[in-house]
Protein backbone atom coordinates (compact mmCIF):
# COMPACT_ATOMS: atom_id res chain seq x y z
CA UNK A 1 0.00 0.00 0.00
CA UNK A 2 1.00 3.61 -0.43
CA UNK A 3 2.71 5.49 2.37
CA UNK A 4 0.92 8.77 3.18
CA UNK A 5 4.26 10.38 4.08
CA UNK A 6 6.62 9.54 1.23
CA UNK A 7 4.14 7.93 -1.19
CA UNK A 8 6.36 4.90 -1.58
CA UNK A 9 4.24 1.85 -2.38
CA UNK A 10 6.23 -0.60 -0.27
CA UNK A 11 4.40 0.39 2.93
CA UNK A 12 2.82 -2.56 4.69
CA UNK A 13 0.10 -3.09 7.25
CA UNK A 14 1.49 -4.10 10.60
CA UNK A 15 0.83 -3.62 14.32
CA UNK A 16 2.60 -1.52 16.92
CA UNK A 17 2.25 -0.05 20.38
CA UNK A 18 0.78 3.42 20.71
CA UNK A 19 0.34 5.77 23.63
CA UNK A 20 -2.99 7.50 23.65
CA UNK A 21 -4.13 10.38 25.79
CA UNK A 22 -7.68 9.96 27.03
CA UNK A 23 -10.27 12.46 25.74
CA UNK A 24 -10.48 14.05 29.21
CA UNK A 25 -6.69 14.32 29.40
CA UNK A 26 -6.47 12.52 32.76
CA UNK A 27 -4.05 9.81 31.68
CA UNK A 28 -2.31 8.10 28.82
CA UNK A 29 -2.91 4.46 28.01
CA UNK A 30 -0.61 2.11 26.20
CA UNK A 31 -2.41 0.26 23.40
CA UNK A 32 -0.55 -2.76 22.11
CA UNK A 33 -0.94 -4.55 18.79
CA UNK A 34 -2.63 -1.55 17.22
CA UNK A 35 -3.06 -1.79 13.44
CA UNK A 36 -0.60 0.52 11.73
CA UNK A 37 1.08 1.19 8.43
CA UNK A 38 4.79 0.58 8.44
CA UNK A 39 6.92 2.13 5.70
CA UNK A 40 10.42 0.80 5.23
CA UNK A 41 11.26 3.55 2.74
CA UNK A 42 10.91 6.53 5.11
CA UNK A 43 10.77 4.64 8.39
CA UNK A 44 7.35 5.99 9.38
CA UNK A 45 4.96 3.87 11.42
CA UNK A 46 1.57 5.43 11.74
CA UNK A 47 -2.12 4.74 12.27
CA UNK A 48 -4.56 5.27 9.43
CA UNK A 49 -7.37 7.78 9.91
CA UNK A 50 -9.82 4.89 10.25
CA UNK A 51 -7.85 3.34 13.09
CA UNK A 52 -7.45 6.71 14.82
CA UNK A 53 -11.20 7.28 14.56
CA UNK A 54 -11.95 3.79 15.91
CA UNK A 55 -9.74 4.42 18.95
CA UNK A 56 -11.06 7.93 19.59
CA UNK A 57 -14.70 6.83 19.26
CA UNK A 58 -14.15 3.89 21.58
CA UNK A 59 -12.34 5.95 24.24
CA UNK A 60 -15.17 8.44 24.09
CA UNK A 61 -17.85 5.80 24.62
CA UNK A 62 -16.35 3.52 27.28
CA UNK A 63 -15.76 4.09 30.98
CA UNK A 64 -12.12 5.17 30.85
CA UNK A 65 -11.84 5.16 34.65
CA UNK A 66 -11.91 1.36 34.49
CA UNK A 67 -9.31 1.23 31.76
CA UNK A 68 -5.99 -0.46 32.55
CA UNK A 69 -2.86 1.51 31.73
CA UNK A 70 -1.78 -1.14 29.24
CA UNK A 71 -4.13 -3.11 27.00
CA UNK A 72 -4.29 -4.47 23.50
CA UNK A 73 -6.22 -2.87 20.65
CA UNK A 74 -8.50 -5.91 20.55
CA UNK A 75 -9.24 -5.65 24.28
CA UNK A 76 -9.98 -1.96 23.92
CA UNK A 77 -12.46 -2.61 21.12
CA UNK A 78 -14.17 -5.36 23.15
CA UNK A 79 -14.85 -3.12 26.13
CA UNK A 80 -18.54 -2.42 26.65
CA UNK A 81 -19.72 0.99 25.57
CA UNK A 82 -21.60 3.19 27.97
CA UNK A 83 -24.39 5.34 26.77
CA UNK A 84 -24.93 7.19 30.00
CA UNK A 85 -25.03 10.50 28.19
CA UNK A 86 -26.24 11.30 24.74
CA UNK A 87 -23.39 13.38 23.36
CA UNK A 88 -25.21 13.87 20.12
CA UNK A 89 -28.30 15.48 21.55
CA UNK A 90 -27.76 19.21 21.22
CA UNK A 91 -31.39 20.15 21.81
CA UNK A 92 -30.97 21.02 25.50
ZN1 LIG B 1 7.05 6.28 3.70
Amino acid sequence: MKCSWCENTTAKESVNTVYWELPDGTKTVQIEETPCVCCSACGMTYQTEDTVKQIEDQLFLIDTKQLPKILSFEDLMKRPRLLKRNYFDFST
Side-chain angles (χ1 to χ4, degrees):
M1 62 193 290
K2 195 160 130 184
C3 172
S4 346
W5 295 87
C6 68
E7 304 201 334
N8 193 293
T9 51
T10 59
K12 286 188 175 67
E13 283 183 40
S14 182
V15 291
N16 72 349
T17 298
V18 293
Y19 298 88
W20 217 273
E21 191 177 315
L22 298 183
D24 61 7
T26 52
K27 66 175 174 180
T28 304
V29 290
Q30 182 177 330
I31 310 166
E32 296 178 330
E33 293 167 53
T34 309
C36 70
V37 177
C38 182
C39 176
S40 55
C42 70
M44 280 300 294
T45 304
Y46 60 93
Q47 268 64 44
T48 62
E49 276 179 37
D50 277 357
T51 306
V52 169
K53 194 174 179 335
Q54 258 183 294
I55 295 173
E56 303 251 290
D57 285 355
Q58 185 69 350
L59 287 176
F60 198 62
L61 293 168
I62 62 173
D63 185 1
T64 52
K65 287 187 184 73
Q66 311 282 331
L67 209 59
K69 273 190 87 86
I70 303 171
L71 76 170
S72 71
F73 181 79
E74 203 186 333
D75 285 345
L76 175 65
M77 291 305 148
K78 274 194 212 149
R79 294 187 83 85
R81 292 181 167 192
L82 299 173
L83 286 172
K84 57 184 176 184
R85 273 176 285 175
N86 185 351
Y87 291 101
F88 305 103
D89 182 1
F90 300 109
S91 61
T92 49

